[in-house]
């Protein structure tokens, strides 16, 4: 199963180190940012499953970061756990009112933190399954109709296999978000397919032949070297 990706945003390096060590030890992939601005930049370009967000940050503080997330239609549903100073009840209340899903006070116990992360990820996964998918997606001359499972290029039908359609729709409905091959395997094929990430590459190559004017210089599905693929 592809690892869940957690973004930690905190200006204290020892906190970032502590979080990274324990989260990776428990099977998560960890991204880290020392400022709110850097955290938002990562969220707009990377596939992230949950954010651990410090309340007190230099420059753009945690509440401002949270406001930006909730105002962005592509990130508004992002699960967020706020990290607050011990005893600062007003921080907790304000964070929850602004849309944080949960909070935990510093100094925190690792077991409690991991339990909160696991519970929120589980809840978020259920909500994603129940959410209504986007019906139609257009990008340049490309039209993807999720209801009829049809794809058109320049007004002409493009015939895709089931997995090709699901892969294209997933990428297109998360524009500019980078997915690793492992994430795509789990999301499209639905099970661990260890060592066979070439399956994704083959399907991407087939898709490019069908939707790109020049498959060797793709306009829509682009390779992100060392990481995976994104739709632009």
């Amino acid at each position: 199963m592809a690892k869940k990706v957690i973004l930690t945003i905190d200006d204290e390096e020892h906190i970032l180190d502590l979080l990274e060590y324990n989260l990776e030890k428990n099977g998560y992939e960890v991204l880290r940012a020392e400022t709110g601005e850097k955290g938002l930049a990562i969220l707009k370009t990377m596939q992230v499953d949950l954010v651990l967000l410090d309340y007190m940050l230099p420059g753009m503080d945690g509440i401002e970061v949270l406001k930006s997330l909730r105002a962005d239609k592509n990130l508004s549903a992002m699960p967020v756990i706020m990290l607050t100073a011990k005893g600062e009840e007003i921080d907790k209340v304000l964070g929850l009112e602004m849309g944080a899903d949960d909070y935990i006070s510093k100094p925190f116990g690792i077991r409690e933190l991991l339990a909160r992360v696991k519970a929120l990820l589980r809840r978020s996964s259920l909500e994603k399954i129940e959410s209504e998918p986007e019906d139609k997606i257009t990008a340049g001359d490309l039209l993807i109709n999720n209801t009829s499972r049809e794809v058109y290029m320049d007004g002409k039908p493009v015939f895709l296999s089931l997995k090709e359609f699901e892969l294209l729709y997933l990428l297109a409905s998360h524009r500019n978000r980078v997915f690793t091959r492992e994430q795509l395997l789990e999301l499209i094929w639905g099970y661990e397919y260890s060592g066979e990430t070439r399956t994704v590459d083959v399907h991407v190559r087939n898709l490019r032949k069908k939707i790109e004017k020049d498959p060797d210089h793709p306009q829509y599905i682009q390779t992100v070297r060392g990481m995976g693929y994104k739709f632009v």
Side-chain angles (χ1 to χ4, degrees):
M1 184 180 297
K3 295 180 179 180
K4 294 291 186 181
V5 180
I6 298 177
L7 172 62
T8 59
I9 307 177
D10 199 299
D11 62 320
E12 297 181 81
E13 188 172 353
H14 72 280
I15 294 292
L16 290 173
D17 291 341
L18 176 69
L19 291 171
E20 183 174 22
Y21 172 78
N22 285 282
L23 289 167
E24 287 186 345
K25 184 179 176 182
N26 283 272
Y28 299 104
E29 182 179 339
V30 180
L31 303 174
R32 50 194 284 173
E34 300 79 22
T35 66
E37 291 86 351
K38 184 177 178 181
L40 285 174
I42 290 173
L43 284 164
K44 290 177 180 179
T45 56
M46 299 288 291
Q47 178 68 23
V48 175
D49 296 295
L50 182 144
V51 178
L52 293 174
L53 175 62
D54 185 33
Y55 184 93
M56 295 295 292
L57 290 169
M60 190 178 202
D61 66 22
I63 292 298
E64 290 301 315
V65 174
L66 191 57
K67 284 181 181 178
S68 295
L69 281 178
R70 296 307 181 228
D72 188 322
K73 67 178 183 178
N74 295 319
L75 299 171
S76 60
M78 177 64 62
V80 177
I81 297 178
M82 294 286 290
L83 306 178
T84 66
K86 186 176 182 180
E88 293 295 332
E89 192 67 27
I90 186 64
D91 293 352
K92 301 171 187 175
V93 172
L94 184 57
L96 292 172
E97 286 180 347
M98 294 308 301
D101 298 282
D102 201 355
Y103 69 85
I104 189 167
S105 299
K106 294 180 180 179
F108 46 79
I110 291 300
R111 285 188 179 181
E112 181 184 3
L113 175 71
L114 292 171
R116 301 267 186 116
V117 166
K118 185 176 181 180
L120 184 52
L121 283 172
R122 187 187 306 118
R123 192 167 83 226
S124 174
S125 296
L126 291 174
E127 289 172 354
K128 285 180 181 177
I129 293 171
E130 295 168 357
S131 63
E132 185 175 348
E134 193 173 353
D135 184 28
K136 292 182 180 179
I137 298 173
T138 57
D141 298 321
L142 182 66
L143 170 64
I144 306 168
N145 189 320
N146 187 48
T147 301
S148 63
R149 313 289 280 190
E150 295 174 328
V151 175
Y152 294 88
M153 173 57 70
D154 289 325
K156 299 176 183 178
V158 178
F159 301 101
L160 303 179
S161 70
L162 174 63
K163 293 304 181 188
E164 287 171 353
F165 180 88
E166 291 179 348
L167 179 59
L168 176 61
Y169 180 77
L170 175 66
L171 292 169
S173 59
H174 298 81
R175 297 187 192 197
N176 296 312
R177 303 294 291 273
V178 180
F179 288 88
T180 66
R181 291 169 175 82
E182 290 77 12
Q183 288 173 328
L184 291 171
L185 278 172
E186 182 184 6
L187 291 166
I188 302 301
W189 281 263
Y191 58 91
E192 184 177 3
Y193 211 48
S194 180
E196 290 296 334
T197 54
R198 184 171 174 272
T199 299
V200 175
D201 298 331
V202 171
H203 278 74
V204 167
R205 186 164 63 248
N206 291 340
L207 272 175
R208 284 172 171 166
K209 290 178 181 177
K210 295 179 179 182
I211 69 169
E212 301 282 3
K213 289 184 170 67
D214 181 358
D216 293 328
H217 300 88
Q219 174 186 354
Y220 298 108
I221 302 176
Q222 296 191 356
T223 301
V224 180
R225 189 178 297 275
M227 298 182 64
Y229 297 101
K230 68 177 179 178
F231 186 96
V232 297

